[in-house]
Amino acid sequence: SQQGEEDPQALSIQEGENATMNCSYKTSINNLQWYRQNSGRGLVHLILIRSNEREKHSGRLRVTLDTSKKSSSLLITASRAADTASYFCATEAGGSYIPTFGRGTSLIVHP
Amino acid sequence: NAGVTQTPKFQVLKTGQSMTLQCAQDMNHEYMSWYRQDPGMGLRLIHYSVGAGITDQGEVPNGYNVSRSTTEDFPLRLLSAAPSQTSVYFCASSPQVTDTQYFGPGTRLTVL
């Protein structure tokens, strides 16, 4: 079964707004990764955050990790139409190091 | 570097046929994996390999075989195709299992 699950399943916003999506997981992890998938393409890595980190930034992306709540969030600030994609979190499955993916959040940014 | 390459891009099979999906990487990565992506199901892990000569099963291995005779190549074999195997297949690689994964462009497979 999938270790991580993203929420919401779908998100629709206007250009310029912020987009927040969450990932919850079941067992303790060493790291958590966020990926983006444009329609019909392979996944592209965004950010890796380790269990001893609480926050990481990359451009307009901000990822937080709360290990006590077993959850992570991805914030995209000042969204653009080009941010329209599906976003996935990847965590280790059940204590192993093997990464597994959730079902993803589908983000639509309207121009 | 070409990164992770997958062939073919599209394939149509009849039930019962067998075929091999090819995956290659030129980054000298130890970890390679195969996923299938179905609508509403996200990516599910089929098989993975932590190095040449070592393979293991993921979440949905039934109906698929893999081998890893070289660091570069990780082919996925469908033994007897079934309509339930209609999906988009992605291959990925990373330096080690805990590192960032690099994905191929995918193979869209339809089984009639």
Side-chain angles (χ1 to χ4, degrees):
Chain A
S1 64
Q2 283 145 327
Q3 155 81 315
E5 288 295 339
E6 296 88 348
D7 174 69
Q9 287 187 354
L11 184 59
S12 180
I13 60 174
Q14 295 295 128
E15 225 172 17
E17 294 180 339
N18 294 343
T20 299
M21 52 206 86
N22 305 295
C23 172
S24 58
Y25 56 92
K26 299 170 188 169
T27 61
S28 61
I29 58 172
N30 292 293
N31 65 53
L32 184 146
Q33 302 183 50
W34 284 93
Y35 289 79
R36 183 183 75 195
Q37 183 182 34
N38 290 91
S39 180
R41 301 286 191 92
L43 278 70
V44 174
H45 182 259
L46 297 175
I47 290 183
L48 181 153
I49 187 165
R50 302 199 184 281
S51 59
N52 60 354
E53 298 174 312
R54 291 297 167 258
E55 188 170 311
K56 284 190 84 168
H57 296 255
S58 177
R60 293 183 296 111
L61 306 180
R62 172 178 167 246
V63 167
T64 60
L65 179 64
D66 187 335
T67 53
S68 66
K69 294 182 179 178
K70 292 187 172 61
S71 69
S72 173
S73 67
L74 169 66
L75 169 67
I76 304 173
T77 59
S79 61
R80 305 166 182 167
D83 294 327
T84 293
S86 292
Y87 293 82
F88 296 87
C89 69
T91 57
E92 301 138 37
S96 80
Y97 288 99
I98 306 302
T100 61
F101 289 79
R103 290 182 169 84
T105 291
S106 175
L107 172 66
I108 296 176
V109 182
H110 300 278
Chain B
N1 287 351
V4 180
T5 58
Q6 291 183 240
T7 57
K9 283 189 169 57
F10 301 93
Q11 183 70 51
V12 178
L13 293 178
K14 294 181 180 177
T15 297
Q17 288 184 317
S18 62
M19 79 159 295
T20 299
L21 279 62
Q22 301 292 344
C23 173
Q25 52 91 7
D26 60 358
M27 298 172 281
N28 202 34
H29 286 172
E30 290 296 327
Y31 182 73
M32 296 187 74
S33 55
W34 276 103
Y35 296 89
R36 60 177 290 172
Q37 186 175 32
D38 303 294
M41 295 299 293
L43 279 81
R44 291 183 291 170
L45 182 64
I46 305 172
H47 285 284
Y48 63 92
S49 168
V50 297
I54 306 169
T55 63
D56 209 342
Q57 296 181 350
E59 185 186 355
V60 288
N62 292 343
Y64 307 95
N65 272 358
V66 292
S67 60
R68 184 94 181 271
S69 56
T70 66
T71 299
E72 294 78 21
D73 300 299
F74 191 42
L76 178 72
R77 296 184 192 83
L78 279 70
L79 308 172
S80 176
S84 61
Q85 293 178 305
T86 293
S87 188
V88 181
Y89 291 84
F90 289 100
C91 178
S93 75
S94 59
Q96 300 294 331
V97 64
T98 53
D99 294 326
T100 297
Q101 292 197 79
Y102 296 81
F103 280 79
T107 293
R108 188 174 296 273
L109 175 69
T110 302
V111 183
L112 302 174

